[in-house]
Amino acid sequence: MRIILINLKRAAERRERMEQEFGALGLRYEIKEAIDGRSLSAEHLAQVDRQARWRLGLYPQANGSIANWLTQREVMRDLVTNGPDMMAIFEDDARLTPELPEVLATLEQQRFAFDVVLLQRRHPRRRFIPEVPLTDSHTAGRVRYSDSGSEGYVITRAAARHFLENTPKMVLAIDQALSRFWHSGLNVFYVDPPVVHHGGANDSQIEDSRNASRQERAEKDSLTSILWRRAVASSRRAVVKRVAFRKLLRGEIGVTR
């Protein structure tokens, strides 16, 4: 399977650690230089749908998160243009388990239809519904209703094309945009137990700008207004995702066949 590692040019320590992790597992990979959240252009910033985020009661998007979104889309465009039929994408704060190569090899055989398989689970207490055995010890299945994190995932070429065409502007961070199938229309699976974990590093370019974005929101909007919009959005989402989840389990959501 083609493997892409997203890494900032200035993050040499992370790059070296990921080289060791992939090397220990015998996995070959390519490096995609990440867009730097510290040097976003006006064109980059215009890719965020700020009005949609305001209606949802969300923070102004952190520059690091915008940069990650843009970089991941560049990787998806590469997949759509150059192939192959699927790709594994990793961020440089991932931790890889010894079982990862076997899971990737099984997914590459496409024994079942999927658009995205998230290799990590940030919230293991959320209910997991097993569906497809992958190895003797790992299963692909659903999480009720979604999980977060984009440290490692597999995406098909058809799914990447669909995502690029149907999500032209950024509203949610890339991990939420991919996992929220009720918005993306993607057939999303998870691996249990996870074969990728978050490294827990606190030097992420996303974290660098998150506090600044919160301060920006506090200066421009009242807390009451924010909480009201967030409550309305949450109520709508609760209904939509439950209806969509039943469709997902019936195989009525997805683009890869």
Side-chain angles (χ1 to χ4, degrees):
M1 183 180 295
R2 188 179 177 197
I3 296 175
I4 301 294
L5 170 64
I6 295 174
N7 172 253
L8 270 173
K9 186 176 182 179
R10 58 181 165 83
E13 183 176 342
R14 287 186 172 206
R15 188 164 55 251
E16 292 170 1
R17 182 187 56 75
M18 291 305 299
E19 180 180 0
Q20 295 174 358
E21 294 234 2
F22 281 120
L25 299 178
L27 293 173
R28 298 178 62 182
Y29 65 97
E30 307 165 41
I31 292 180
K32 166 64 179 177
E33 185 176 326
I35 296 170
D36 198 328
R38 296 178 182 177
S39 55
L40 294 180
S41 67
E43 182 180 359
H44 288 147
L45 295 173
Q47 301 307 306
V48 180
D49 190 338
R50 300 182 187 278
Q51 282 301 313
R53 290 187 60 81
W54 181 89
R55 288 193 298 271
L56 295 172
L58 300 175
Y59 294 118
Q61 192 59 269
N63 284 357
S65 186
I66 297 171
N68 188 31
W69 163 275
L70 295 168
T71 304
Q72 301 251 9
R73 287 178 66 85
E74 287 185 356
V75 174
M76 291 184 198
R77 289 191 191 98
D78 181 12
L79 172 59
V80 171
T81 302
N82 301 308
D85 290 334
M86 70 180 68
M87 175 187 286
I89 302 173
F90 294 87
E91 296 177 354
D92 63 6
D93 57 350
R95 296 291 187 272
L96 315 179
T97 72
E99 299 82 10
L100 174 62
E102 185 180 6
V103 168
L104 291 180
T106 302
L107 292 174
E108 192 169 24
Q109 296 172 19
Q110 284 189 295
R111 297 178 181 175
F112 63 103
F114 64 84
D115 292 329
V116 176
V117 178
L118 296 171
L119 303 171
Q120 87 291 330
R121 294 176 59 196
R122 286 281 190 91
H123 304 93
R125 292 186 178 182
R126 291 182 182 174
R127 183 183 173 191
F128 179 79
I129 303 173
E131 289 202 14
V132 183
L134 296 175
T135 70
D136 291 341
S137 55
H138 290 78
T139 304
R142 316 291 189 177
V143 169
R144 188 186 296 271
Y145 291 93
S146 68
D147 210 324
S148 60
S150 53
E151 291 83 12
Y153 63 94
V154 173
I155 185 169
T156 68
R157 195 176 189 179
R161 181 181 295 109
H162 174 89
F163 185 81
L164 292 171
E165 292 175 351
N166 291 277
T167 316
K169 284 203 169 186
M170 179 184 191
V171 178
L172 302 172
I174 188 66
D175 60 334
Q176 295 175 327
L178 287 172
S179 63
R180 294 188 178 186
F181 54 87
W182 56 93
H183 289 312
S184 69
L186 297 177
N187 185 11
V188 181
F189 282 85
Y190 297 80
V191 173
D192 188 74
V195 289
V196 175
H197 298 278
H198 181 244
N202 58 9
D203 60 338
S204 167
Q205 65 158 329
I206 296 175
E207 292 297 334
D208 287 346
S209 55
R210 186 162 285 156
N211 290 335
S213 73
R214 291 174 178 174
Q215 180 63 32
E216 177 187 345
R217 186 190 72 167
E219 293 171 355
K220 295 182 178 180
D221 212 346
S222 72
L223 180 60
T224 301
S225 176
I226 292 167
L227 293 177
W228 170 252
R229 295 195 305 272
R230 188 174 293 182
V232 171
S234 178
S235 297
R236 291 174 178 170
R237 184 168 62 248
V239 174
V240 171
K241 71 182 180 182
R242 282 166 172 77
V243 173
F245 191 67
R246 290 194 289 270
K247 293 182 178 180
L248 184 70
L249 294 179
R250 294 196 299 263
E252 298 174 7
I253 292 178
V255 298
T256 304
R257 304 297 178 186

